[in-house]
Amino acid sequence: MDSSTRSPGPTHHAACSAGNEASANRIVDVLSEIFDNDEVVAAAFERPGTSEWDISLYFESPPDQAAIRAVVAQVAGDEIAAALVFDTVEAKDWVKASLADLVPVNAGRFVVHGHHDRDRIAPNRLRIEIEAALAFGTGHHGTTRGCLMLLDLVLRQRTPERVLDLGTGTGVLAIAAAKALHRNILASDIDPRSVIVARENAALNGVGHYLEAIHAIGFGSPRFAQAGPFDLVFANILANPLRKLAAPMARHLAPSAFVILSGLLPPHARGVVAAYRGQGLRLVRRYDLDGWTSLLMQRIA
Ligand code: SAM
């Protein structure tokens, strides 16, 4: 998954046939446990029309191929490890390259669209126009769409007052919340470029005055305590950081607060739910879209 903003440049990749589903998931689980998501992003996919599973690995920097093969051999056997093929994929500005082809995405009351579709959106929808540069979040990814659908669900029963979008990317979720709620939204990102992009997109959507975008790693800024406790938090990141954020997140939540978590693969959902249950939250709803899981959790009182 292109889980974060990423500069153009070669992306290091490896793939192989991993046998059955259990074996593929085991490899992904073990690699995700051993390596940080900043270093390796691993995913398992069923090959269409077969019961065979493949794994795909993306590395932030050139990987230690022998070390990766050794881990895979331990988990799934020498044959699968030997079949791993390492290569580099010439990265480009994926978002810009694909924007021209993007069709509007509907998610509950929201529709996310590019400039080229501006005049084609039905007036009764809450529209979010994204002209993303180097940031994640055009609405086309299953994680963003899952978050928007869960936001729609929350809004049917609650009007959250204090909202945080942690890992805002293009600002798409913060903009959706600002449009629906007409309230100040705190948005943060580990990547300073996303902070700038989110501000630009909020202004483009006429909600720039509602959005405060800050540069922070996790909850590492005093602004979170000042702006909270939050009634609604989005965190569309990845399973490992989500698990690590469970305790600091819980400290920033108002009673009965909703938390929308995404960026996790189905096999990782159980671990993430357990981490948040351990902090006094319950699972309200789960969506699986395009191979990605999104969770709605709520603080118990
Ligand atoms: N919220 C947008 C959406 O739903 O489309 C973007 C989600 S994108 C998958 C994850 C974003 O989280 C990236 O912009 C990345 O830079 C940021 N991020 C990753 N880890 C983070 C952390 N520990 N603290 C803050 N932001 C983080």
Side-chain angles (χ1 to χ4, degrees):
M1 172 197 186
D2 182 9
S3 62
S4 61
T5 56
R6 192 174 274 162
S7 310
T11 297
H12 303 275
H13 175 252
C16 71
S17 169
N20 60 22
E21 179 178 3
S23 156
N25 284 336
R26 238 183 357 257
I27 298 171
V28 168
D29 282 346
V30 171
L31 287 172
S32 305
E33 286 306 324
I34 294 177
F35 296 97
D36 259 1
N37 282 308
D38 304 349
E39 298 172 88
V40 183
V41 174
F45 304 95
E46 187 172 22
R47 212 175 304 151
T50 72
S51 54
E52 281 289 300
W53 283 64
D54 295 328
I55 55 159
S56 199
L57 315 173
Y58 290 90
F59 306 92
E60 185 63 28
S61 46
D64 179 340
Q65 299 190 9
I68 300 291
R69 271 192 217 283
V71 173
V72 173
Q74 263 199 346
V75 178
D78 291 338
E79 205 177 316
I80 288 177
L84 260 178
V85 175
F86 289 83
D87 58 6
T88 53
V89 183
E90 205 42 56
K92 49 182 176 170
D93 182 343
W94 292 107
V95 178
K96 270 193 184 145
S98 57
L99 263 181
D101 305 327
L102 294 184
V103 293
V105 173
N106 292 302
R109 72 196 66 190
F110 304 102
V111 58
V112 189
H113 64 92
H115 177 78
H116 51 286
D117 280 315
R118 190 179 263 189
D119 301 326
R120 281 191 266 172
I121 307 298
N124 61 341
R125 310 302 302 272
L126 275 182
R127 47 169 63 213
I128 305 155
E129 182 171 320
I130 295 294
E131 288 306 326
L134 284 171
F136 182 105
T138 59
H140 293 76
H141 200 272
T143 60
T144 313
R145 203 151 51 85
C147 289
L148 288 172
M149 288 168 64
L150 289 171
L151 170 61
D152 188 65
L153 199 68
V154 168
L155 294 175
R156 279 188 235 157
Q157 41 184 304
R158 185 76 71 78
T159 307
E161 284 201 17
R162 293 170 186 240
V163 180
L164 167 65
D165 177 16
L166 196 151
T168 194
T170 58
V172 55
L173 303 177
I175 294 167
K179 287 209 158 195
L181 293 164
H182 304 285
R183 292 194 198 286
N184 294 338
I185 313 290
L186 181 63
S188 67
D189 206 287
I190 200 169
D191 185 335
R193 289 169 304 178
S194 285
V195 174
I196 295 165
V197 170
R199 282 185 195 137
E200 287 171 356
N201 280 328
L204 173 73
N205 282 274
V207 292
H209 53 297
Y210 285 128
L211 188 93
E212 180 188 355
I214 62 168
H215 174 227
I217 302 173
F219 282 90
S221 160
R223 272 308 288 149
F224 295 106
Q226 291 157 3
F230 299 100
D231 303 299
L232 172 63
V233 177
F234 303 100
N236 175 8
I237 307 188
L238 280 169
N240 263 345
L242 283 179
R243 279 196 296 260
K244 289 181 191 158
L245 284 175
M249 173 103 65
R251 287 198 290 276
H252 288 83
L253 295 178
S256 304
F258 284 105
V259 173
I260 294 175
L261 304 173
S262 194
L264 44 142
L265 300 165
H268 298 154
R270 215 168 43 180
V272 172
V273 168
Y276 285 79
R277 277 204 179 120
Q279 299 296 329
L281 282 83
R282 72 186 178 100
L283 178 64
V284 177
R285 185 66 69 90
R286 165 181 174 156
Y287 287 141
D288 288 279
L289 294 174
D290 303 333
W292 294 93
T293 300
S294 301
L295 306 169
L296 175 62
M297 304 207 59
Q298 186 175 25
R299 185 172 153 178
I300 302 165

mmCIF file of all heavy atoms in Angstrom, residues 67-107:
data_model
loop_
_atom_site.group_PDB
_atom_site.id
_atom_site.type_symbol
_atom_site.label_atom_id
_atom_site.label_comp_id
_atom_site.label_asym_id
_atom_site.label_seq_id
_atom_site.Cartn_x
_atom_site.Cartn_y
_atom_site.Cartn_z
ATOM 1 N N ALA A 67 18.373 -11.574 4.533
ATOM 2 C CA ALA A 67 17.620 -11.547 5.801
ATOM 3 C C ALA A 67 16.134 -11.793 5.550
ATOM 4 O O ALA A 67 15.478 -12.545 6.283
ATOM 5 C CB ALA A 67 17.838 -10.206 6.497
ATOM 6 N N ILE A 68 15.616 -11.183 4.478
ATOM 7 C CA ILE A 68 14.185 -11.362 4.162
ATOM 8 C C ILE A 68 13.931 -12.829 3.788
ATOM 9 O O ILE A 68 12.976 -13.461 4.270
ATOM 10 C CB ILE A 68 13.754 -10.439 2.993
ATOM 11 C CG1 ILE A 68 13.981 -8.973 3.352
ATOM 12 C CG2 ILE A 68 12.305 -10.703 2.587
ATOM 13 C CD1 ILE A 68 13.088 -8.423 4.418
ATOM 14 N N ARG A 69 14.827 -13.390 2.963
ATOM 15 C CA ARG A 69 14.652 -14.798 2.568
ATOM 16 C C ARG A 69 14.704 -15.722 3.786
ATOM 17 O O ARG A 69 13.947 -16.684 3.887
ATOM 18 C CB ARG A 69 15.772 -15.214 1.600
ATOM 19 C CG ARG A 69 15.430 -14.948 0.164
ATOM 20 C CD ARG A 69 16.432 -15.642 -0.762
ATOM 21 N NE ARG A 69 16.709 -14.831 -1.922
ATOM 22 C CZ ARG A 69 15.879 -14.712 -2.960
ATOM 23 N NH1 ARG A 69 14.745 -15.359 -2.981
ATOM 24 N NH2 ARG A 69 16.190 -13.940 -3.978
ATOM 25 N N ALA A 70 15.591 -15.385 4.734
ATOM 26 C CA ALA A 70 15.720 -16.243 5.919
ATOM 27 C C ALA A 70 14.418 -16.234 6.735
ATOM 28 O O ALA A 70 13.970 -17.279 7.208
ATOM 29 C CB ALA A 70 16.900 -15.760 6.774
ATOM 30 N N VAL A 71 13.811 -15.045 6.861
ATOM 31 C CA VAL A 71 12.551 -14.969 7.622
ATOM 32 C C VAL A 71 11.469 -15.775 6.900
ATOM 33 O O VAL A 71 10.750 -16.580 7.509
ATOM 34 C CB VAL A 71 12.094 -13.490 7.776
ATOM 35 C CG1 VAL A 71 10.713 -13.425 8.403
ATOM 36 C CG2 VAL A 71 13.101 -12.701 8.604
ATOM 37 N N VAL A 72 11.371 -15.573 5.575
ATOM 38 C CA VAL A 72 10.329 -16.277 4.815
ATOM 39 C C VAL A 72 10.565 -17.787 4.874
ATOM 40 O O VAL A 72 9.614 -18.571 5.019
ATOM 41 C CB VAL A 72 10.279 -15.762 3.350
ATOM 42 C CG1 VAL A 72 9.318 -16.588 2.508
ATOM 43 C CG2 VAL A 72 9.871 -14.293 3.325
ATOM 44 N N ALA A 73 11.832 -18.200 4.828
ATOM 45 C CA ALA A 73 12.134 -19.641 4.887
ATOM 46 C C ALA A 73 11.680 -20.229 6.223
ATOM 47 O O ALA A 73 11.112 -21.321 6.278
ATOM 48 C CB ALA A 73 13.642 -19.864 4.701
ATOM 49 N N GLN A 74 11.919 -19.484 7.278
ATOM 50 C CA GLN A 74 11.527 -19.976 8.610
ATOM 51 C C GLN A 74 10.012 -20.126 8.723
ATOM 52 O O GLN A 74 9.508 -21.063 9.311
ATOM 53 C CB GLN A 74 11.985 -18.982 9.665
ATOM 54 C CG GLN A 74 13.304 -19.371 10.291
ATOM 55 C CD GLN A 74 13.506 -18.666 11.611
ATOM 56 O OE1 GLN A 74 12.807 -17.717 11.917
ATOM 57 N NE2 GLN A 74 14.444 -19.157 12.392
ATOM 58 N N VAL A 75 9.302 -19.166 8.128
ATOM 59 C CA VAL A 75 7.842 -19.144 8.283
ATOM 60 C C VAL A 75 7.160 -20.097 7.310
ATOM 61 O O VAL A 75 6.206 -20.792 7.665
ATOM 62 C CB VAL A 75 7.307 -17.708 8.056
ATOM 63 C CG1 VAL A 75 5.795 -17.662 8.168
ATOM 64 C CG2 VAL A 75 7.938 -16.744 9.028
ATOM 65 N N ALA A 76 7.665 -20.144 6.060
ATOM 66 C CA ALA A 76 6.909 -20.846 5.012
ATOM 67 C C ALA A 76 7.722 -21.892 4.262
ATOM 68 O O ALA A 76 7.195 -22.520 3.349
ATOM 69 C CB ALA A 76 6.363 -19.806 4.029
ATOM 70 N N GLY A 77 8.984 -22.022 4.616
ATOM 71 C CA GLY A 77 9.796 -23.072 3.987
ATOM 72 C C GLY A 77 10.745 -22.524 2.931
ATOM 73 O O GLY A 77 10.544 -21.438 2.382
ATOM 74 N N ASP A 78 11.790 -23.345 2.629
ATOM 75 C CA ASP A 78 12.861 -22.922 1.721
ATOM 76 C C ASP A 78 12.360 -22.682 0.298
ATOM 77 O O ASP A 78 12.840 -21.799 -0.402
ATOM 78 C CB ASP A 78 13.953 -24.004 1.674
ATOM 79 C CG ASP A 78 14.693 -24.065 2.997
ATOM 80 O OD1 ASP A 78 14.652 -23.045 3.725
ATOM 81 O OD2 ASP A 78 15.290 -25.118 3.306
ATOM 82 N N GLU A 79 11.393 -23.501 -0.123
ATOM 83 C CA GLU A 79 10.947 -23.407 -1.509
ATOM 84 C C GLU A 79 10.325 -22.037 -1.797
ATOM 85 O O GLU A 79 10.633 -21.397 -2.808
ATOM 86 C CB GLU A 79 9.923 -24.512 -1.782
ATOM 87 C CG GLU A 79 9.845 -24.910 -3.227
ATOM 88 C CD GLU A 79 8.854 -26.066 -3.395
ATOM 89 O OE1 GLU A 79 8.878 -27.015 -2.571
ATOM 90 O OE2 GLU A 79 8.050 -25.974 -4.316
ATOM 91 N N ILE A 80 9.472 -21.602 -0.878
ATOM 92 C CA ILE A 80 8.809 -20.302 -1.070
ATOM 93 C C ILE A 80 9.851 -19.184 -0.953
ATOM 94 O O ILE A 80 9.850 -18.234 -1.743
ATOM 95 C CB ILE A 80 7.655 -20.133 -0.052
ATOM 96 C CG1 ILE A 80 6.519 -21.071 -0.460
ATOM 97 C CG2 ILE A 80 7.178 -18.689 0.025
ATOM 98 C CD1 ILE A 80 5.334 -21.095 0.455
ATOM 99 N N ALA A 81 10.773 -19.320 0.000
ATOM 100 C CA ALA A 81 11.807 -18.279 0.160
ATOM 101 C C ALA A 81 12.654 -18.159 -1.097
ATOM 102 O O ALA A 81 12.983 -17.046 -1.535
ATOM 103 C CB ALA A 81 12.687 -18.607 1.359
ATOM 104 N N ALA A 82 12.975 -19.305 -1.708
ATOM 105 C CA ALA A 82 13.825 -19.277 -2.905
ATOM 106 C C ALA A 82 13.088 -18.642 -4.085
ATOM 107 O O ALA A 82 13.710 -18.097 -5.000
ATOM 108 C CB ALA A 82 14.255 -20.696 -3.258
ATOM 109 N N ALA A 83 11.749 -18.703 -4.051
ATOM 110 C CA ALA A 83 10.963 -18.166 -5.175
ATOM 111 C C ALA A 83 10.813 -16.649 -5.110
ATOM 112 O O ALA A 83 10.304 -16.035 -6.055
ATOM 113 C CB ALA A 83 9.581 -18.819 -5.179
ATOM 114 N N LEU A 84 11.239 -16.041 -4.012
ATOM 115 C CA LEU A 84 11.100 -14.571 -3.888
ATOM 116 C C LEU A 84 11.901 -13.873 -4.979
ATOM 117 O O LEU A 84 13.088 -14.146 -5.160
ATOM 118 C CB LEU A 84 11.654 -14.116 -2.548
ATOM 119 C CG LEU A 84 10.682 -13.839 -1.409
ATOM 120 C CD1 LEU A 84 11.473 -13.453 -0.165
ATOM 121 C CD2 LEU A 84 9.678 -12.752 -1.761
ATOM 122 N N VAL A 85 11.253 -12.969 -5.690
ATOM 123 C CA VAL A 85 11.955 -12.195 -6.724
ATOM 124 C C VAL A 85 12.002 -10.740 -6.276
ATOM 125 O O VAL A 85 10.961 -10.132 -5.993
ATOM 126 C CB VAL A 85 11.216 -12.301 -8.079
ATOM 127 C CG1 VAL A 85 11.882 -11.410 -9.115
ATOM 128 C CG2 VAL A 85 11.200 -13.749 -8.545
ATOM 129 N N PHE A 86 13.210 -10.208 -6.183
ATOM 130 C CA PHE A 86 13.396 -8.808 -5.786
ATOM 131 C C PHE A 86 13.566 -7.957 -7.037
ATOM 132 O O PHE A 86 14.256 -8.363 -7.984
ATOM 133 C CB PHE A 86 14.648 -8.670 -4.910
ATOM 134 C CG PHE A 86 14.479 -9.276 -3.541
ATOM 135 C CD1 PHE A 86 14.671 -10.638 -3.331
ATOM 136 C CD2 PHE A 86 14.119 -8.478 -2.463
ATOM 137 C CE1 PHE A 86 14.506 -11.191 -2.068
ATOM 138 C CE2 PHE A 86 13.952 -9.030 -1.200
ATOM 139 C CZ PHE A 86 14.152 -10.396 -1.003
ATOM 140 N N ASP A 87 12.925 -6.797 -7.051
ATOM 141 C CA ASP A 87 13.114 -5.889 -8.185
ATOM 142 C C ASP A 87 12.888 -4.457 -7.714
ATOM 143 O O ASP A 87 12.614 -4.214 -6.541
ATOM 144 C CB ASP A 87 12.164 -6.247 -9.343
ATOM 145 C CG ASP A 87 10.699 -6.210 -8.928
ATOM 146 O OD1 ASP A 87 10.411 -5.807 -7.788
ATOM 147 O OD2 ASP A 87 9.839 -6.582 -9.739
ATOM 148 N N THR A 88 13.036 -3.522 -8.602
ATOM 149 C CA THR A 88 12.682 -2.143 -8.266
ATOM 150 C C THR A 88 11.610 -1.691 -9.247
ATOM 151 O O THR A 88 11.625 -2.039 -10.427
ATOM 152 C CB THR A 88 13.886 -1.170 -8.372
ATOM 153 O OG1 THR A 88 14.455 -1.314 -9.649
ATOM 154 C CG2 THR A 88 14.912 -1.418 -7.293
ATOM 155 N N VAL A 89 10.674 -0.930 -8.711
ATOM 156 C CA VAL A 89 9.586 -0.421 -9.539
ATOM 157 C C VAL A 89 9.864 1.056 -9.697
ATOM 158 O O VAL A 89 10.096 1.751 -8.703
ATOM 159 C CB VAL A 89 8.242 -0.620 -8.805
ATOM 160 C CG1 VAL A 89 7.084 -0.164 -9.668
ATOM 161 C CG2 VAL A 89 8.086 -2.061 -8.380
ATOM 162 N N GLU A 90 9.887 1.539 -10.916
ATOM 163 C CA GLU A 90 10.167 2.962 -11.117
ATOM 164 C C GLU A 90 8.951 3.748 -10.656
ATOM 165 O O GLU A 90 7.882 3.686 -11.258
ATOM 166 C CB GLU A 90 10.480 3.231 -12.598
ATOM 167 C CG GLU A 90 11.348 4.458 -12.836
ATOM 168 C CD GLU A 90 12.505 4.603 -11.836
ATOM 169 O OE1 GLU A 90 13.322 3.663 -11.701
ATOM 170 O OE2 GLU A 90 12.575 5.658 -11.184
ATOM 171 N N ALA A 91 9.112 4.421 -9.523
ATOM 172 C CA ALA A 91 7.974 5.167 -8.985
ATOM 173 C C ALA A 91 7.773 6.443 -9.790
ATOM 174 O O ALA A 91 8.697 6.971 -10.383
ATOM 175 C CB ALA A 91 8.232 5.507 -7.531
ATOM 176 N N LYS A 92 6.569 6.903 -9.804
ATOM 177 C CA LYS A 92 6.285 8.194 -10.425
ATOM 178 C C LYS A 92 5.338 8.902 -9.482
ATOM 179 O O LYS A 92 5.069 8.407 -8.390
ATOM 180 C CB LYS A 92 5.654 7.999 -11.794
ATOM 181 C CG LYS A 92 4.502 7.020 -11.790
ATOM 182 C CD LYS A 92 3.958 6.832 -13.180
ATOM 183 C CE LYS A 92 2.868 5.779 -13.193
ATOM 184 N NZ LYS A 92 2.150 5.698 -14.425
ATOM 185 N N ASP A 93 4.928 10.050 -9.849
ATOM 186 C CA ASP A 93 3.971 10.733 -9.002
ATOM 187 C C ASP A 93 2.611 10.083 -9.257
ATOM 188 O O ASP A 93 1.841 10.501 -10.102
ATOM 189 C CB ASP A 93 3.956 12.219 -9.368
ATOM 190 C CG ASP A 93 3.013 12.982 -8.479
ATOM 191 O OD1 ASP A 93 2.170 12.352 -7.834
ATOM 192 O OD2 ASP A 93 3.117 14.202 -8.443
ATOM 193 N N TRP A 94 2.358 8.993 -8.507
ATOM 194 C CA TRP A 94 1.185 8.156 -8.783
ATOM 195 C C TRP A 94 -0.104 8.951 -8.743
ATOM 196 O O TRP A 94 -0.988 8.751 -9.560
ATOM 197 C CB TRP A 94 1.102 7.037 -7.747
ATOM 198 C CG TRP A 94 2.199 6.058 -7.902
ATOM 199 C CD1 TRP A 94 3.282 5.900 -7.089
ATOM 200 C CD2 TRP A 94 2.353 5.097 -8.954
ATOM 201 N NE1 TRP A 94 4.092 4.915 -7.572
ATOM 202 C CE2 TRP A 94 3.548 4.400 -8.708
ATOM 203 C CE3 TRP A 94 1.599 4.785 -10.085
ATOM 204 C CZ2 TRP A 94 4.007 3.400 -9.538
ATOM 205 C CZ3 TRP A 94 2.050 3.778 -10.906
ATOM 206 C CH2 TRP A 94 3.241 3.099 -10.629
ATOM 207 N N VAL A 95 -0.189 9.849 -7.781
ATOM 208 C CA VAL A 95 -1.455 10.551 -7.609
ATOM 209 C C VAL A 95 -1.740 11.430 -8.806
ATOM 210 O O VAL A 95 -2.809 11.366 -9.404
ATOM 211 C CB VAL A 95 -1.431 11.371 -6.304
ATOM 212 C CG1 VAL A 95 -2.719 12.136 -6.147
ATOM 213 C CG2 VAL A 95 -1.204 10.451 -5.123
ATOM 214 N N LYS A 96 -0.712 12.210 -9.199
ATOM 215 C CA LYS A 96 -0.927 13.102 -10.343
ATOM 216 C C LYS A 96 -1.172 12.300 -11.614
ATOM 217 O O LYS A 96 -2.019 12.618 -12.410
ATOM 218 C CB LYS A 96 0.305 13.986 -10.546
ATOM 219 C CG LYS A 96 0.218 15.268 -9.769
ATOM 220 C CD LYS A 96 1.287 16.221 -10.234
ATOM 221 C CE LYS A 96 1.262 17.481 -9.388
ATOM 222 N NZ LYS A 96 2.588 18.034 -9.171
ATOM 223 N N ALA A 97 -0.403 11.226 -11.774
ATOM 224 C CA ALA A 97 -0.511 10.426 -12.986
ATOM 225 C C ALA A 97 -1.902 9.848 -13.126
ATOM 226 O O ALA A 97 -2.412 9.690 -14.221
ATOM 227 C CB ALA A 97 0.515 9.312 -12.945
ATOM 228 N N SER A 98 -2.523 9.515 -12.001
ATOM 229 C CA SER A 98 -3.802 8.818 -12.096
ATOM 230 C C SER A 98 -5.003 9.746 -11.955
ATOM 231 O O SER A 98 -6.111 9.359 -12.258
ATOM 232 C CB SER A 98 -3.880 7.739 -11.019
ATOM 233 O OG SER A 98 -3.707 8.321 -9.755
ATOM 234 N N LEU A 99 -4.778 10.995 -11.538
ATOM 235 C CA LEU A 99 -5.933 11.849 -11.264
ATOM 236 C C LEU A 99 -6.840 12.033 -12.480
ATOM 237 O O LEU A 99 -8.049 12.040 -12.349
ATOM 238 C CB LEU A 99 -5.464 13.230 -10.791
ATOM 239 C CG LEU A 99 -5.439 13.417 -9.276
ATOM 240 C CD1 LEU A 99 -4.977 14.817 -8.925
ATOM 241 C CD2 LEU A 99 -6.801 13.154 -8.675
ATOM 242 N N ALA A 100 -6.190 12.150 -13.658
ATOM 243 C CA ALA A 100 -6.978 12.408 -14.856
ATOM 244 C C ALA A 100 -7.964 11.275 -15.104
ATOM 245 O O ALA A 100 -9.027 11.477 -15.670
ATOM 246 C CB ALA A 100 -6.059 12.578 -16.041
ATOM 247 N N ASP A 101 -7.610 10.057 -14.677
ATOM 248 C CA ASP A 101 -8.487 8.904 -14.926
ATOM 249 C C ASP A 101 -9.517 8.705 -13.816
ATOM 250 O O ASP A 101 -10.363 7.830 -13.921
ATOM 251 C CB ASP A 101 -7.650 7.614 -14.970
ATOM 252 C CG ASP A 101 -6.536 7.712 -15.976
ATOM 253 O OD1 ASP A 101 -6.755 8.384 -16.983
ATOM 254 O OD2 ASP A 101 -5.470 7.125 -15.740
ATOM 255 N N LEU A 102 -9.395 9.466 -12.749
ATOM 256 C CA LEU A 102 -10.235 9.158 -11.589
ATOM 257 C C LEU A 102 -11.677 9.603 -11.796
ATOM 258 O O LEU A 102 -11.938 10.707 -12.243
ATOM 259 C CB LEU A 102 -9.671 9.842 -10.340
ATOM 260 C CG LEU A 102 -8.311 9.335 -9.877
ATOM 261 C CD1 LEU A 102 -7.894 10.023 -8.582
ATOM 262 C CD2 LEU A 102 -8.334 7.827 -9.690
ATOM 263 N N VAL A 103 -12.562 8.715 -11.404
ATOM 264 C CA VAL A 103 -13.975 9.065 -11.451
ATOM 265 C C VAL A 103 -14.381 9.458 -10.032
ATOM 266 O O VAL A 103 -13.719 9.078 -9.078
ATOM 267 C CB VAL A 103 -14.831 7.869 -11.924
ATOM 268 C CG1 VAL A 103 -14.528 7.546 -13.359
ATOM 269 C CG2 VAL A 103 -14.592 6.648 -11.036
ATOM 270 N N PRO A 104 -15.455 10.224 -9.869
ATOM 271 C CA PRO A 104 -15.878 10.595 -8.521
ATOM 272 C C PRO A 104 -16.182 9.356 -7.681
ATOM 273 O O PRO A 104 -16.669 8.346 -8.190
ATOM 274 C CB PRO A 104 -17.144 11.414 -8.760
ATOM 275 C CG PRO A 104 -17.011 11.907 -10.161
ATOM 276 C CD PRO A 104 -16.276 10.835 -10.904
ATOM 277 N N VAL A 105 -15.869 9.440 -6.396
ATOM 278 C CA VAL A 105 -16.100 8.308 -5.486
ATOM 279 C C VAL A 105 -17.204 8.665 -4.505
ATOM 280 O O VAL A 105 -17.116 9.691 -3.821
ATOM 281 C CB VAL A 105 -14.815 8.006 -4.677
ATOM 282 C CG1 VAL A 105 -15.077 6.958 -3.623
ATOM 283 C CG2 VAL A 105 -13.721 7.549 -5.617
ATOM 284 N N ASN A 106 -18.217 7.837 -4.441
ATOM 285 C CA ASN A 106 -19.316 8.057 -3.501
ATOM 286 C C ASN A 106 -19.069 7.264 -2.231
ATOM 287 O O ASN A 106 -18.689 6.100 -2.284
ATOM 288 C CB ASN A 106 -20.640 7.593 -4.127
ATOM 289 C CG ASN A 106 -21.030 8.480 -5.275
ATOM 290 O OD1 ASN A 106 -21.183 9.687 -5.113
ATOM 291 N ND2 ASN A 106 -21.159 7.902 -6.457
ATOM 292 N N ALA A 107 -19.286 7.902 -1.105
ATOM 293 C CA ALA A 107 -19.152 7.216 0.192
ATOM 294 C C ALA A 107 -20.152 7.852 1.141
ATOM 295 O O ALA A 107 -19.934 8.956 1.636
ATOM 296 C CB ALA A 107 -17.729 7.359 0.732
#
